[in-house]
Each structure stands twice: as C-alpha cells, then as structure tokens.
C-alpha cells in the first residue's frame, strides 16, 4: 500500500515507493536497503521498521461498540506456537436471508503486500464489521505473520493454522468464552476471503485445503472464496501495470508492488522471481490441477492490477473453474478500506452486495 486516507481519522498523505537513501542509518542498523515511504524500512542488518500509517483499534471500537446493534467482536489466539491471532465478528442477528438459523463463516486475510497491515487496523476493523452486518456472516480476521521476517509461505501456513483452529471450534461443545460466537456460526458454510495480498493468501489456502494439507475437514465445508483485487505479479508487465497512471495517494504503484515481492518471496538461492507460483499462478502452475472452490474476483477499474486480475479470471475459466467477476468503475486499489475516492462508498456498497449474493447462493 502507498498513500493512505482513513475515514474518521486525520488525513495521512503517504507518498508512494521511493528508492532507499544509501546514507540513511538508524541506531547502528546500517543503510536502508528497501523502503516504502511511510510504511516500512528494511535495514542492511535485517532490522525492520514499520511506521504507524494506520492506527490499531480494539475489538470494541466504532461500529462494534457495546450496544451498537451492528456486530460484536473479540480477539483470540489461533496458533500459540507462532502467536498468530484473529479478530472474530458476528452479526447481532443470526437469521439468514433464507430464514435459517446461524450464519456462514468468512475467514478473511487483510492486505498490505504481505509486509504491513493488521487485523487491528481501523480501516479493516470498520470494513469487516460492515461485512459481518451487511453480508450476514461471521468473520475470522486473521493477523498472519509478515515478511520480510517471515517470508512466504509463512502467511499461507498461518492461513491453514486458522482453518485448523476453526475446525476445532466446529467440533467443540465447551461452555467457554467463545460459545456465543460458535452458536452463531454455520461451520458447514465456510468462505475464504481477502483483499490484495490477503486475496493471494485466500487463493493459495483454498488450493492447499483442496490438496488435503489439513486432512479430513470434519464439520467444516469450504463453499467458495472471495478475492478482492488479488495481489499477483509476473516478470512480464500487463498493460495496466505499464500504463495505468496513479494519483499521488494511490494504494499501489508498480515500484511499490515490486518492493513487496522482493521482501515477500523466498530469498534463498538468489531469490525467487515474480514468476514463482506464489506470485504468478497463471504462468507457473497448472491451474486445471488446482482443486479450487467457486471464486468471486472483485476488480478495481483504475488499479494497476486490473488486467492481471482479469487475466486470472480468464485463465481459471479456461481451466474449468467456476469464476464470477465484478469490476468496480472509477476506483483504485483498496478503495473499500482506504476510502481514497469520492466513489469509494457507493462502490463499497456494491461490493458488499455482491459478496452477500455470492455467499447466500452457496449457503
């Protein structure tokens, strides 16, 4: 992400990627070797500095405040070995659109190029509270480990850990502090979702589940995946990557994208290129062999990733996968959380309606 503007917070204009300053040092860490201005600095000795671009908020903040009637939330640890945690949401009503009891569960992964972001960021907290209320679903918002300290596939592993935790929740009848949340959930109606890097995680976690990485899923059933402006790449540039002009507050520019991939992809043996399967599944993997659930791909019209997202949809259909796509006019990358366009709010409402329809049709 580059420039950030959060509704309800003071405007923070953060410029896009800048080349590291060779003479910049900090407490003996040496020069900065990678930097996305205003978000992250990586020093020569490996020290990583993340800047407070977006405020963290507690689970009770804003629309999930006690008595708001919109959604309820709580933070839980999902993997004690790694410290990965998640923020749980549930709508206050548990009656579905079809009149049944209990609501589908969406396992959500935030964006941030695999390198920044948090389930506690105010923009994600606000968006997912609205998703829970508008789409009528429970949400597990996963705070996975970040690169470059934890390069891929760490985020994919954390996604599987979240599903393992969810499988345990579906199987337990304990009268513990999460009983209220479990009582709202239909664990046989699970959806994976995420935006940007989080959509990449949702895609690869879905494939790994289909390949049996967790073994029998028991009471869990994954019915679909929602990929919002999925962050993929490739050595060859698409037309939108080469020509899509970005405003100063753009959430993603081509140099920023390249920096994220340098920090996130495996660095052994000289480093992986952007045609690694985790970055470019279209050119690097046999999509027809990937066991994927039905997909909804949400594309932003002025996003540099637009053409790559549309190419992914075409390739998946050619491989025989069930894919729906929705293109949101006049808005760029991460519009639904950064609100950096006058069209962000109406397009976000359109997106929430599309997600609700996708989930309801498979529930």
């Amino acid at each position: 992400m580059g420039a950030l503007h959060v509704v309800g917070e003071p405007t923070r204009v953060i410029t896009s990627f800048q080349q590291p300053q060779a003479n910049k040092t900090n407490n003996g860490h040496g020069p900065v070797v990678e930097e996305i201005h205003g978000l992250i600095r990586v020093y020569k000795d490996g020290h990583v500095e993340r800047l407070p671009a977006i405020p963290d908020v507690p689970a009770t903040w804003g629309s999930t405040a006690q008595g708001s009637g919109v959604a309820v939330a709580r933070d839980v640890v999902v993997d004690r070995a790694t410290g990965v945690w998640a923020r749980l949401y549930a709508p206050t009503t548990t009656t579905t659109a079809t009149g049944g009891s209990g609501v589908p569960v969406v396992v959500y992964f935030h964006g941030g190029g695999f390198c920044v972001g948090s389930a506690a960021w105010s923009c994600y907290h606000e968006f997912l509270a609205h998703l829970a209320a508008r789409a009528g679903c429970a949400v597990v918002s996963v705070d996975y480990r970040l690169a470059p300290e934890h390069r891929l596939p760490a985020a994919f592993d954390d996604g599987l850990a979240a599903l393992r935790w969810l499988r345990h929740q579906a199987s337990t009848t304990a009268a513990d502090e999460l009983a209220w949340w479990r009582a709202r959930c239909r664990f046989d109606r699970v959806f994976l979702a995420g935006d940007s890097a989080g959509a990449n995680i949702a895609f690869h976690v879905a494939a790994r589940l289909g390949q049996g990485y967790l073994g029998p899923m028991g009471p869990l059933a994954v019915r679909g995946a929602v990929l919002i402006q999925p962050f993929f790449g490739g050595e060859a540039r698409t037309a939108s990557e080469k020509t899509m002009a970005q405003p100063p507050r753009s959430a993603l520019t081509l140099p920023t994208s390249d920096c994220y991939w340098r920090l996130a992809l495996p660095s052994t043996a000289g480093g992986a290129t952007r045609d690694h399967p985790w970055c470019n599944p279209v050119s690097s993997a046999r999509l027809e062999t990937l066991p994927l659930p039905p997909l909804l791909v949400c594309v932003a019209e002025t996003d540099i990733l637009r053409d790559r997202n549309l190419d992914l949809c075409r390739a998946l259909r050619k491989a025989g996968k069930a894919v729906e796509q929705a293109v949101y006019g006049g808005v760029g990358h991460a519009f639904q959380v950064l609100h950096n366009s006058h069209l962000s709010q109406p397009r976000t409402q359109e997106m929430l309606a599309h997600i609700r329809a996708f989930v309801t049709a498979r529930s």
Side-chain angles (χ1 to χ4, degrees), residues 69-89:
V70 176
V72 290
R74 182 188 177 98
D75 294 340
V76 297
V77 175
V78 300
D79 188 345
R80 295 192 181 280
T82 61
V84 170
W85 61 276
R87 181 161 292 181
L88 308 182
Y89 300 83

Side-chain angles (χ1 to χ4, degrees), residues 273-299:
T273 73
R274 293 192 305 274
D275 282 332
H276 191 287
W278 296 337
C279 178
N280 192 353
V282 172
S283 69
S284 306
R286 292 176 57 85
L287 289 177
E288 63 270 17
T289 68
L290 289 182
L292 295 168
L295 300 169
L296 169 63
V297 181
C298 301
V299 183

Side-chain angles (χ1 to χ4, degrees), residues 8 28 37 39 52 70 80 84 101 106 109 116 143 202 211 218 260 327:
H37 189 67
L39 286 173
V70 176
R80 295 192 181 280
V84 170
S101 178
V106 173
F109 304 98
V116 298
D143 198 75
Q211 292 166 334
Y260 281 140
V327 179

Side-chain angles (χ1 to χ4, degrees), residues 51-243:
L51 305 176
I54 304 285
D56 288 349
V57 296
T60 54
W61 181 81
S63 57
T64 56
Q66 190 70 26
S68 67
V70 176
V72 290
R74 182 188 177 98
D75 294 340
V76 297
V77 175
V78 300
D79 188 345
R80 295 192 181 280
T82 61
V84 170
W85 61 276
R87 181 161 292 181
L88 308 182
Y89 300 83
T92 53
T93 175
T94 57
T95 301
T96 66
T98 57
S101 178
V103 296
V105 181
V106 173
V107 180
Y108 195 92
F109 304 98
H110 66 77
F114 303 105
C115 298
V116 298
S118 169
W121 271 12
S122 59
C123 56
Y124 280 107
H125 181 78
E126 179 184 47
F127 175 68
L128 293 175
H130 289 157
L131 176 65
R134 288 290 308 279
C137 58
V139 177
V140 182
S141 177
V142 183
D143 198 75
Y144 53 89
R145 290 171 294 170
L146 299 176
E149 303 97 320
H150 305 283
R151 291 175 179 265
L152 295 176
F156 305 154
D157 295 340
D158 294 344
L160 289 175
L163 269 295
R164 188 181 297 113
W165 176 88
L166 190 64
R167 181 174 61 188
H168 172 74
Q169 295 302 315
S171 304
T172 187
T173 57
D176 57 18
E177 67 275 9
L178 295 183
W180 66 270
W181 186 80
R182 290 193 299 267
R184 290 167 160 79
C185 296
R186 287 289 306 271
F187 292 107
D188 58 343
R189 304 289 190 272
V190 175
F191 294 81
L192 304 176
D195 67 289
S196 196
N200 181 308
I201 297 169
F203 177 89
H204 286 290
V205 169
R208 290 181 174 209
L209 289 175
Q211 292 166 334
Y213 273 57
L214 290 186
M217 294 302 289
L220 290 190
V222 175
R223 300 302 184 97
V226 179
L227 311 182
I228 301 172
Q229 303 134 25
F231 183 50
F232 293 109
E235 288 298 309
R237 306 297 196 187
T238 66
S240 61
E241 287 171 343
K242 290 187 292 186
T243 64

